[in-house]
Amino acid sequence: MMDGLIGDRERHRILMVSDFFYPNFGGVESHIYCLSQCLLKLGHKVVVMTHVYGNRSGVRYMTNGLKVYYIPWRPFLMQNTLPTIYGTLPIIRTILIRERITLVHGHSAFSTLCHEALIHARTMGYKVIFTDHSLYGFADVGSIHMNKVLQFTLADVSQAICVSHTSKENTVLRSGLPPEKVFVIPNAVDTAMFTPAPENPRSNDEIIIVVISRLVYRKGADLLVEVIPEVCRLYPHVRFVVGGDGPKRVRLEEMREKHFLQDRVEMLGAVPHSRVRSILVSGHIFLNSSLTEAFCIAILEAASCGLLTVSTRVGGVPEVLPDDMVVLAEPDPVDMVQAIKKAITILPTIDPQDMHKRVKKLYDWHDVARRTEIVYDRAMKCSNQNLLERLSRYLSCGSWAGKLFCLVMIIDFLLFHLLQLVQPAIDIEEVPNMVMSLGEGSTAGDDIPEQSSR
Amino acid sequence: MGENSFAHRKYTYFHDQKYPCEAIDIHHIEVQSNGAKGVFVSLLAAIVVGNALYLVLVKEKSVTLLFSSFLLWAFLRKLLLGKPVKKESVVIMPTLGVQLETLYLSGRIMRQFVPVSKILKPVLQECVTPVTCYWSLSLVMREEEELAPVFKELRPPLKMLVPVWKALCAATDEGSSHSCTEDGGNAEDGVQSEKNP
């Protein structure tokens, strides 16, 4: 009975760890969810671990038997669990043993739970993968400390994944990771959900520009405040629809009042994820003014809905769409107005259905899952190292930082062995393989050895 | 008839088969007390109290130190030995209800009776705490928000909970024709488990 293989490929049992997951909505959250669903379809077993959200605590099951552990550690700042370094060791060990995990995959450098899970998993001898979803600076105090923490976590990671080549460069520079260990696997978009409107909504006199983003500094809300009045002045037939909320919303409201644009700029407030598509298809052009972006899923969603995109040329944005689907500009109001002007002139040549078909061929979550599987296979082939060899990697992180990290890892190692004495692994029962029957008897099968799922 | 039983680590499961299952079905889970832990705790007591006595009598420190040392010992004892439970039993009477009994080391017995009309469904669920995760068997009650745990103090392993769960399902499903193993409802409630042979 070939329990661990599907065909000739190895079958993995993956633990996804991040502070950011459903019921929160965002790039990282939907990345983890979509990737997990596609990996389940490929026959692997996926378990997600995150912190408690409100009342949502304990074990929950999502579509296709995706098991999620909402561990009862309260978030303390920006959805991050309180970083106690060793506090989460017992629960992580319990989950790793009871689910018979082979591989731990952490997401997002901003997530404290992810960092803790990765270092504990390494102490316990599991193979570890990290996916970085954002670009980060180098200069200010916050960045310096953040980068040091990242350097610590990534000193001993098996493989890493970045969502764009720019992001790979950024991660490698911040963490000192050898570039051979970093793979680039772009995000994808659910093209089945983001489809263009069936009939062309273009009434030849009016052009609608859609903006959907969090209204914060990072996403360029200040640029919008400069650009919108200028465009409205130059083009009387252009209207704006702004979705999203945030601290900068007040500035946009003020701008509306000052230039008397109440009938030309519509503010929708926070938009639930399920309504994003209906707002996108009502427009013709999508405007993205982010000041930094590792990979912009928003413009991909807009392109999938058949909108022409105008975006700032930052981070990984130029890598996302072909040149004829996007008009790029420097993050400067004058340049952006020029770009919008160009977009308006080429708008008649755009066919939304054709754009959607092209995006569908270019981006697919199943493709992302297959490429991630290759990274997992590579990670499993990494050699197991004992504590002393690993400590030498930590020492190279810095003169005082290296010694501090070594101390942290030695204490972690001792605590792990103490835990093995107090609560031996055979006391932790393994979870039996579940078969979820969905009402009418159709089984979204997890695994029964006779089932070939490929 | 006899009884069938099996043990796992410090827990032992007994299924009384003296009486016919249709009338009354009894399951016990017993805990073996750990001798080594008891010795360790007594030693700890001797050290803590002895130290306190020495400080009070010889070094002339305040007597409150003696009291606080007793408190410390009581706290450590509770932490290490846990609850003094000897056995927990489930007596299932299919037409009447379920009686849950807890027998403590001191001889005290706590009983709770749940009438069968109040039980909606017995469920096996995973409970997650900040440091661990364990299986527990509970009863979903009609018109009540909280679940009633079947084993109040002990945390027996899953393979001991499953026969009790099946027996409870059979008893509470007496009226309806569909069997307990086909649970197509909310996945969160009762997951159909299929163990690997």
Side-chain angles (χ1 to χ4, degrees):
Chain A
M1 177 159 45
M2 290 294 206
D3 211 7
L5 299 173
I6 325 162
D8 53 354
R9 283 171 19 240
E10 204 183 319
R11 178 181 159 153
H12 303 289
R13 300 176 71 91
I14 303 146
L15 177 70
M16 300 273 190
V17 185
S18 182
D19 271 309
F20 311 112
F21 195 63
Y22 182 83
N24 233 20
F25 276 106
V28 181
E29 294 84 343
S30 55
H31 173 105
I32 299 175
Y33 178 73
C34 294
L35 180 61
S36 305
Q37 290 295 327
C38 293
L39 286 169
L40 283 169
K41 287 234 171 59
L42 284 174
H44 303 286
K45 165 123 174 92
V46 183
V47 175
V48 180
M49 183 170 95
T50 182
H51 67 71
V52 62
Y53 279 93
N55 265 344
R56 191 177 266 263
S57 169
V59 174
R60 296 285 188 275
Y61 289 89
M62 296 181 85
T63 324
N64 287 331
L66 176 65
K67 188 169 181 180
V68 187
Y69 280 85
Y70 290 93
I71 59 176
W73 282 77
R74 289 260 151 217
F76 84 115
L77 179 69
M78 296 201 301
Q79 292 299 334
N80 275 321
T81 326
L82 186 70
T84 53
I85 307 182
Y86 304 114
T88 45
L89 176 61
I91 182 72
I92 290 175
R93 174 172 174 261
T94 306
I95 293 176
L96 287 173
I97 293 176
R98 72 198 309 267
E99 300 286 344
R100 288 171 281 147
I101 300 291
T102 55
L103 197 49
V104 177
H105 188 164
H107 292 265
S108 181
F110 291 112
S111 161
T112 48
L113 188 62
C114 164
H115 287 293
E116 289 191 18
L118 294 186
I119 57 180
H120 295 317
R122 275 315 280 152
T123 309
M124 296 189 247
Y126 291 89
K127 302 288 190 294
V128 147
I129 303 213
F130 176 73
T131 296
D132 201 355
H133 292 264
S134 28
L135 294 179
Y136 215 58
F138 296 85
D140 55 296
V141 178
S143 303
I144 294 177
H145 286 110
M146 190 72 209
N147 293 342
K148 214 61 190 172
V149 170
L150 191 69
Q151 205 180 6
F152 173 38
T153 312
L154 295 189
D156 198 22
V157 78
S158 311
Q159 303 289 343
I161 299 175
C162 287
V163 293
S164 64
H165 294 281
T166 316
S167 176
K168 172 174 173 172
E169 205 181 312
N170 187 262
T171 303
V172 165
L173 287 171
R174 276 158 55 208
S175 64
L177 203 57
E180 308 83 59
K181 270 199 184 175
V182 185
F183 290 76
V184 175
I185 304 178
N187 279 332
V189 68
D190 188 0
T191 42
M193 184 163 136
F194 291 94
T195 49
E199 74 293 321
N200 210 326
R202 195 160 303 138
S203 54
N204 281 329
D205 30 5
E206 202 177 52
I207 295 183
I208 300 176
I209 301 186
V210 179
V211 179
I212 298 186
S213 77
R214 281 178 297 139
L215 301 173
V216 293
Y217 169 72
R218 249 183 141 213
K219 298 287 183 181
D222 298 300
L223 273 176
L224 282 179
V225 170
E226 313 271 324
V227 165
I228 292 179
E230 189 60 26
V231 172
C232 287
R233 188 182 65 84
L234 287 171
Y235 301 99
H237 57 291
V238 162
R239 270 184 32 185
F240 279 86
V241 173
V242 178
D245 206 348
K248 297 281 179 182
R249 188 175 173 179
V250 179
R251 285 202 69 194
L252 280 162
E253 302 273 9
E254 276 174 10
M255 175 247 341
R256 265 175 96 198
E257 305 241 331
K258 189 167 150 193
H259 297 273
F260 307 107
L261 295 169
Q262 286 89 339
D263 52 339
R264 298 190 56 195
V265 174
E266 193 185 333
M267 305 278 294
L268 296 173
V271 178
H273 197 248
S274 45
R275 276 189 55 210
V276 167
R277 187 244 166 199
S278 55
I279 296 173
L280 285 173
V281 297
S282 69
H284 308 100
I285 295 179
F286 183 77
L287 178 60
N288 174 54
S289 53
S290 309
L291 299 179
T292 173
E293 216 44 274
F295 183 96
C296 196
I297 297 196
I299 61 178
L300 206 48
E301 288 171 355
S304 180
C305 287
L307 276 79
L308 177 63
T309 309
V310 174
S311 175
T312 43
R313 185 183 284 115
V314 288
V317 169
E319 300 175 36
V320 177
L321 287 174
D323 292 330
D324 54 339
M325 288 194 198
V326 65
V327 180
L328 295 171
E330 298 306 314
D332 170 70
V334 174
D335 215 24
M336 286 186 72
V337 172
Q338 287 296 319
I340 294 179
K341 180 174 168 185
K342 184 176 168 199
I344 293 174
T345 43
I346 59 175
L347 193 56
T349 60
I350 300 294
D351 176 18
Q353 300 290 340
D354 181 57
M355 205 183 245
H356 172 80
K357 284 200 195 83
R358 285 177 68 190
V359 171
K360 196 163 156 181
K361 259 202 294 246
L362 289 171
Y363 288 99
D364 179 21
W365 277 112
H366 294 284
D367 182 49
V368 173
R370 271 190 291 271
R371 289 159 84 167
T372 312
E373 200 183 21
I374 296 175
V375 180
Y376 291 157
D377 292 335
R378 184 78 74 86
M380 294 305 284
K381 292 198 178 75
C382 282
S383 55
N384 269 329
Q385 290 184 315
N386 65 18
L387 181 67
L388 289 170
E389 287 163 11
R390 290 172 46 224
L391 284 179
S392 63
R393 286 209 212 172
Y394 289 114
L395 268 176
S396 60
C397 284
S399 52
W400 62 269
K403 298 187 180 65
L404 179 66
F405 297 157
C406 278
L407 186 65
V408 169
M409 289 315 278
I410 290 171
I411 298 179
D412 200 36
F413 179 78
L414 292 171
L415 281 174
F416 168 55
H417 281 277
L418 180 66
L419 209 53
Q420 277 187 317
L421 277 173
V422 168
Q423 190 187 25
I426 54 171
D427 271 347
I428 302 176
E429 319 169 66
E430 290 172 4
V431 173
N433 292 321
M434 305 287 193
V435 174
M436 316 281 289
S437 49
L438 309 169
E440 281 76 35
S442 66
T443 47
D446 192 21
D447 63 305
I448 304 180
E450 308 86 63
Q451 226 182 44
S452 65
S453 51
R454 193 76 172 111
Chain B
M1 284 208 202
E3 54 177 38
N4 68 24
S5 69
F6 60 89
H8 176 84
R9 302 288 285 170
K10 62 176 182 172
Y11 296 104
T12 315
Y13 166 79
F14 298 99
H15 182 197
D16 273 349
Q17 283 166 344
K18 284 188 291 194
Y19 310 105
C21 264
E22 297 74 38
I24 188 166
D25 196 11
I26 309 180
H27 306 260
H28 305 283
I29 293 189
E30 216 172 284
V31 180
Q32 275 94 36
S33 52
N34 195 342
K37 265 199 179 167
V39 169
F40 178 69
V41 170
S42 328
L43 211 62
L44 201 65
I47 295 173
V48 170
V49 175
N51 186 41
L53 276 171
Y54 170 74
L55 285 172
V56 168
L57 294 172
V58 177
K59 291 274 182 73
E60 314 267 314
K61 294 265 192 295
S62 133
V63 185
T64 49
L65 190 66
L66 193 62
F67 292 131
S68 37
S69 77
F70 273 123
L71 282 173
L72 176 67
W73 171 71
F75 170 71
L76 285 171
R77 182 180 185 280
K78 188 151 198 297
L79 194 68
L80 289 169
L81 283 184
K83 299 186 178 74
V85 178
K86 186 161 188 328
K87 184 166 81 160
E88 290 215 58
S89 310
V90 180
V91 181
I92 306 173
M93 293 157 278
T95 44
L96 289 175
V98 178
Q99 167 126 315
L100 311 169
E101 295 181 359
T102 307
L103 171 66
Y104 292 91
L105 279 170
S106 53
R108 185 166 66 112
I109 304 181
M110 292 284 290
R111 293 191 178 93
Q112 183 193 1
F113 179 74
V114 185
V116 75
S117 53
K118 277 215 89 176
I119 302 176
L120 185 56
K121 207 154 185 72
V123 294
L124 279 169
Q125 55 175 2
E126 296 169 272
C127 301
V128 185
T129 69
V131 291
T132 188
C133 181
Y134 58 94
W135 285 96
S136 91
L137 175 59
S138 313
L139 299 170
V140 182
M141 315 275 265
R142 292 181 202 277
E143 289 154 30
E144 264 186 56
E145 275 192 21
E146 304 254 329
L147 295 170
V150 171
F151 294 103
K152 300 199 190 308
E153 313 279 6
L154 297 179
R155 291 184 187 176
L158 183 64
K159 55 183 174 187
M160 290 186 191
L161 293 176
V162 171
V164 183
W165 173 65
K166 287 192 174 151
L168 280 168
C169 279
T172 50
D173 269 349
E174 282 278 289
S176 51
S177 53
H178 83 86
S179 91
C180 185
T181 47
E182 248 84 62
D183 187 12
N186 189 350
E188 221 178 302
D189 273 9
V191 197
Q192 177 194 347
S193 73
E194 200 118 287
K195 300 223 189 88
N196 252 340

